[in-house]
Amino acid sequence: MHKPNDAFAALRYRDFSIVTLNQFCLTIAILIQEIIVAYSLYQITRDPLTLGFIGLAEAIPFISLSLWGGYFADKLNKQSIMKICLFFATPLPLALWALFCLHDLEKISTSNLSLGIYAVVFALGTIRGFYNPSATSLKPFLIPRELYANGATWTTIGWQSGVIIGPMLGGFMLAFLGRENSLLAVSILLATCFVLITLLKKRTFPSMPTEHMLHSLTEGFRFIWKTKIVLWAISLDLVSVLFGGVIALLPIFAEEILKIGPEGLGYLRAAPSIGALLTMLALTKFPPLHHAWRNMLLAVAGFGIFTILFAFSNHLWLSLFALMMTGACDSISVVIRQTVLQIFPPEHMRGRVAAVNGMFVSSSNELGAFESGLAAKYIGTVAATLFGGCVTLVVVGYCWLKTRDLFSVDIRKGPED
């Protein structure tokens, strides 16, 4: 039995700790790669739209395959799916390494380099389409129900810690070790993640009821549509990240507006997660689940306000502060949404509900990157960022008017019988 108010309760379960460490290492690997690819490609092309196409190349397969990923996560062994996905992800950074080497030797053109990078990123999106539903739906099986909120907080801490360390490492590694050595390190990290997942204890999962495949695939959509708090939580996060996110434009801010180079880009990319991590540490003691829906709306509003502040900033320290506060606000929203998604869906549907959530929330980062790149190309980087922050505030206002009945929902009790 865990002690009341034990901030480390979820981490005392061995497999949950392993999965959290795996997520930390995986996040570091992906973000080192993201920094290297985005900054290097923008330096070569000087076209904001290339940053948007990177996001689009990952989003297309991820969205297309997430439902299938959720179906297989509920039907097959989640841990086996994660191992297979990590096995195929490990060599992808080496493919990027080869592409950049060929371009440096003038063996391929810049356009072919871009196409090759988009192809590798497309492969990563395909893997994510199967990996994410299994990884997300596995976590509730590793800890007791009463620790879901604590587990969601530690999961996010692990992820945000990786998002802090990954970009800073990526920036410094790119500056001092070069692209090739940095991409080799990413491949080693992915191999480490594969080893960690093999250390999990073997377990069985609730069997999915036998039904027509099409019915099974769409069951996650139907559950979300009829469960109002789940529907609105996903929708709110989708729109705010789709329009309010500035992550894809940070290479432009670092190179042309703040003029701080790849090391500075690492600081900018890490800043939101520094704010998020500090907030998460507080949330392990003070979870935001009392008046959860009100707290979520206020947090997303704060995300929009600090995005607008970042758009107007020409000073590094003010930009870092604004980005840190966007991360702090986003972390509150994430904990609430993850707790809702763990408590409300039935056990045999968690994979498919996680898949739908991934389609509309996780992919919104990549689609948001494309939207940001497109807007930056045609209306300018600062105007695109300002527009995104304003849209976020408008969406929060609309949700506040439409969801007043959710203010009284106590998500700690779960769905009513």
Side-chain angles (χ1 to χ4, degrees):
M1 291 294 292
H2 59 89
K3 299 177 182 178
N5 301 319
D6 181 2
F8 298 93
L11 293 180
R12 301 190 192 282
Y13 290 80
R14 172 187 177 273
D15 279 9
F16 182 84
S17 295
I18 290 175
V19 168
T20 303
L21 178 61
N22 168 75
Q23 182 170 335
F24 171 72
C25 294
L26 183 60
T27 303
I28 290 177
I30 289 174
L31 288 174
I32 291 175
Q33 179 175 291
E34 178 185 303
I35 289 290
I36 293 167
V37 171
Y39 192 83
S40 298
L41 193 58
Y42 181 72
Q43 273 194 321
I44 292 169
T45 65
R46 295 289 172 176
D47 184 358
L49 201 54
T50 60
L51 302 176
F53 280 128
I54 291 174
L56 191 63
E58 188 169 359
I60 289 173
F62 182 75
I63 293 172
S64 302
L65 295 172
S66 278
L67 275 182
W68 289 100
Y71 173 79
F72 287 117
D74 284 336
K75 190 173 182 62
L76 305 177
N77 188 289
K78 306 176 200 303
Q79 295 172 195
S80 297
I81 293 173
M82 293 169 69
K83 283 190 285 187
I84 293 169
C85 289
L86 288 169
F87 177 81
F88 284 105
T90 298
L92 292 183
L94 301 180
L96 293 170
W97 172 83
L99 287 167
F100 280 115
C101 284
L102 289 172
H103 182 264
D104 291 342
L105 295 172
E106 298 184 351
K107 296 291 183 68
I108 59 173
S109 65
T110 298
S111 60
N112 285 335
L113 169 67
S114 300
L115 290 174
I117 288 173
Y118 298 150
V120 174
V121 173
F122 187 94
L124 179 61
T126 301
I127 292 170
R128 277 189 58 207
F130 290 98
Y131 180 89
N132 280 24
S134 291
T136 302
S137 59
L138 172 65
K139 292 164 190 170
F141 293 98
L142 307 179
I143 53 176
R145 179 188 177 95
E146 62 268 20
L147 295 182
Y148 283 174
N150 183 261
T153 302
W154 279 112
T155 295
T156 310
I157 286 176
W159 175 68
Q160 294 288 8
S161 300
V163 179
I164 293 170
I165 296 171
M168 290 196 295
L169 269 179
F172 281 107
M173 289 169 70
L174 181 59
F176 298 108
L177 298 180
R179 281 193 303 257
E180 291 75 16
N181 290 331
S182 302
L183 289 169
L184 178 61
V186 172
S187 190
I188 293 171
L189 274 171
L190 291 174
T192 302
C193 293
F194 173 81
V195 172
L196 284 171
I197 295 302
T198 63
L199 296 177
L200 294 177
K201 296 176 181 176
K202 293 183 179 180
R203 53 174 46 83
T204 58
F205 300 93
S207 58
M208 186 173 65
T210 303
E211 54 191 13
H212 191 274
M213 183 177 291
L214 181 61
H215 180 273
S216 176
L217 287 171
T218 57
E219 193 174 8
F221 278 108
R222 289 194 295 272
F223 173 82
I224 289 172
W225 185 258
K226 70 181 183 181
T227 310
K228 187 173 181 180
I229 192 167
V230 178
L231 174 65
W232 281 96
I234 291 176
S235 301
L236 179 62
D237 197 83
L238 164 68
V239 177
S240 62
V241 174
L242 181 62
F243 291 100
V246 298
I247 298 301
L249 301 181
L250 291 183
I252 305 175
F253 277 95
E255 183 76 2
E256 298 182 1
I257 297 174
L258 298 173
K259 302 185 186 302
I260 51 179
E263 303 98 319
L265 172 60
Y267 293 137
L268 291 178
R269 186 62 180 83
S273 292
I274 293 174
L277 182 60
L278 294 174
T279 305
M280 286 292 175
L281 292 173
L283 295 181
T284 61
K285 280 288 188 181
F286 308 102
L289 304 185
H290 185 58
H291 298 303
W293 187 245
R294 179 205 64 188
N295 294 340
M296 187 166 185
L297 289 174
L298 291 174
V300 177
F303 181 85
I305 290 169
F306 287 108
T307 298
I308 293 170
L309 177 62
F310 177 75
F312 282 118
S313 172
N314 289 315
H315 301 284
L316 176 59
W317 289 108
L318 181 58
S319 297
L320 290 173
F321 169 75
L323 288 172
M324 284 178 63
M325 293 306 297
T326 62
C329 294
D330 185 53
S331 65
I332 297 171
S333 170
V334 166
V335 167
I336 295 171
R337 190 182 75 252
Q338 284 194 358
T339 303
V340 167
L341 289 172
Q342 290 181 16
I343 289 178
F344 281 76
E347 284 189 349
H348 69 277
M349 285 181 57
R350 281 180 178 148
R352 283 161 290 171
V353 172
V356 177
N357 174 65
M359 287 176 62
F360 290 107
V361 175
S362 298
S363 64
S364 66
N365 291 289
E366 285 73 38
L367 292 176
F370 179 70
E371 181 274 333
S372 297
L374 192 65
K377 183 175 179 68
Y378 293 108
I379 66 175
T381 303
V382 173
T385 306
L386 180 62
F387 171 75
C390 292
V391 169
T392 300
L393 292 179
V394 170
V395 170
V396 170
Y398 177 79
C399 289
W400 193 286
L401 294 174
K402 290 290 185 178
T403 60
R404 291 179 179 175
D405 56 317
L406 296 181
F407 290 174
S408 60
V409 174
D410 187 349
I411 68 171
R412 295 168 295 186
K413 297 180 179 178
E416 295 181 359
D417 296 328

